Amino acid sequence: MRAYLLALAAVAGAIAIGGVADLALADDVMLFLLAIMIAAIGGRGPGLLAAALSVAAYDFFFVPPRFTFAIADLHHLMTFAVMFAVGIAIGTLVQRLRHAREAELRARAEELRSALLATVSHDLRTPLAIITGMATSVRDGAPQLPAEQLEALDTIVEEARRLGAILTNTMTITRVESGGQPRREWVPVEELVGATLDRLDAQLAGRDVKISLERDVGVHVDPVLTEQMLLNLVENATKHTPAATPIEIAARRASDGVAIEVADRGPGLPPGPAEQVFEKFFRGPDTRAAGAGLGLAVCRGIAVAHGGRIEAAARDGGGAVFRVWLPGGLAPQEAIPA
């Protein structure tokens, strides 16, 4: 497209040069300006290039002394400046319009995607809740069923729960990637950790969970999103570590807010850069746990949306640790439970 516009500009310049005997200098300038305007439709770059070529051609073929780049009358410098100004102005305006249009299209696409995901999520959550409730009711209300039927009911409950978690993570990452601002409030870290452990009570049954939290530490975050981030981190540890190994959760004040850690004594991080584990749909080469590979990507999205950051590192003695930095510090008195 840009080459096509420059070709049109060259044609306009050639007309001016070919008509040197019949056109006045002012007419030639108009043709070169037309060439610059045509090329500037392609953006600032083509406009500047066309302006430079037009100035050179105009100076060489038309400005006395002709067939040299010397300038006898300094008034022609104003003509050159106008040529460049036209190229820059039109190219800049076109570029801005192209960006204002691309941004509008992206916003509409994002709005459509969010609406579609919200509709799908809403339509799936109800049948999932019914399936989970009925399967749980049958399983718990009829312990005399054969072992294979009880196992099948356990599988139904677990798979429905896993699909629900995938839906939650999909909606969460869509929300944070769409640029929506989190609803912030001061929340004690111990409250977030407690709520997370309550939601994972079944998965953590029999696990040694060690908790080390500084007193009176709070974070200025969206509690729903942050709880989801902690849940994903702890659940990730349960999926990828042996049941006999401990999971450690710690929180402390840091120079730039609050640092929260979830550490384990499992096989550690997969080979390669540590940052790769936060990519969407990433799964390690030896991963056997079920999942869509969205959990850690959601964690990074939530941390970044709050102005924080997250990293993963190998632990001395084996295992992995995930560290999250969030804005916060000493919680206001009213945010600390009595």
Side-chain angles (χ1 to χ4, degrees):
M1 179 63 177
R2 292 185 177 182
Y4 174 70
L5 293 173
L6 286 175
L8 289 177
V11 170
I15 293 173
I17 296 172
V20 64
D22 302 321
L23 297 177
L25 281 179
D27 297 326
D28 296 321
V29 169
M30 291 299 103
L31 283 173
F32 278 113
L33 284 176
L34 175 62
I36 295 171
M37 292 172 62
I38 293 173
I41 295 175
R44 187 183 303 170
L48 282 174
L49 178 58
L53 294 176
S54 296
V55 166
Y58 180 72
D59 184 16
F60 188 81
F61 289 103
F62 298 95
V63 176
R66 292 172 54 195
F67 307 116
T68 177
F69 288 106
I71 303 175
D73 189 349
L74 295 182
H75 286 89
H76 290 294
L77 293 177
M78 179 61 71
T79 303
F80 300 160
V82 170
M83 288 181 175
F84 275 110
V86 168
I88 294 174
I90 296 179
T92 300
L93 289 175
V94 169
Q95 191 166 317
R96 288 180 179 176
L97 288 173
R98 184 178 293 122
H99 287 170
R101 179 62 177 169
E102 291 175 354
E104 181 182 357
L105 291 175
R106 284 196 300 268
R108 289 182 179 177
E110 187 61 41
E111 182 180 354
L112 178 61
R113 183 179 70 162
S114 298
L116 178 61
L117 285 175
T119 301
V120 172
S121 175
H122 180 270
D123 290 344
L124 288 179
R125 285 183 187 277
T126 299
L128 273 177
I130 294 174
I131 291 171
T132 304
M134 293 186 67
T136 302
S137 177
V138 172
R139 181 192 63 186
D140 297 342
Q144 72 279 5
L145 289 174
E148 60 272 13
Q149 294 185 18
L150 291 175
E151 183 178 354
L153 289 171
D154 286 338
T155 301
I156 292 173
V157 172
E158 177 59 27
E159 291 302 310
R161 185 201 66 80
R162 185 170 69 87
L163 184 54
I166 292 175
L167 276 175
T168 299
N169 281 329
T170 301
M171 290 301 301
T172 302
I173 200 167
T174 300
R175 175 182 170 186
V176 297
E177 287 186 346
S178 65
Q181 292 300 312
R183 178 181 59 84
R184 296 172 183 264
E185 61 183 80
W186 279 97
V187 188
V189 173
E190 60 183 351
E191 182 178 307
L192 292 170
V193 172
T196 299
L197 295 180
D198 286 343
R199 290 176 60 184
L200 292 174
D201 185 63
Q203 290 96 308
L204 294 173
R207 278 272 192 172
D208 180 15
V209 180
K210 300 178 179 180
I211 301 175
S212 175
L213 308 177
E214 279 192 21
R215 291 180 57 82
D216 300 343
V217 174
V219 284
H220 192 219
V221 296
D222 184 316
V224 175
L225 289 178
T226 307
E227 184 181 321
Q228 183 64 43
M229 178 182 65
L230 291 177
L231 185 144
N232 285 355
L233 290 175
V234 177
E235 190 172 39
N236 181 72
T238 65
K239 287 181 178 180
H240 300 288
T241 61
T245 58
I247 296 175
E248 303 170 32
I249 304 174
R252 56 181 172 78
R253 279 186 289 273
S255 59
D256 54 352
V258 174
I260 303 176
E261 295 183 355
V262 177
D264 61 59
R265 287 297 182 187
L269 300 176
E275 293 79 9
Q276 67 182 337
V277 299
F278 298 108
E279 297 297 327
K280 285 186 289 188
F281 311 115
F282 174 82
R283 293 173 60 81
D286 300 322
T287 299
R288 297 181 180 179
L294 283 176
L296 293 180
V298 169
C299 293
R300 179 174 63 179
I302 294 173
V304 171
H306 284 91
R309 63 187 189 280
I310 187 171
E311 69 174 22
R315 297 183 71 189
D316 293 336
V321 58
F322 292 85
R323 297 187 183 93
V324 185
W325 285 267
L326 293 172
L330 185 63
Q333 188 62 35
E334 61 271 16
I336 302 175

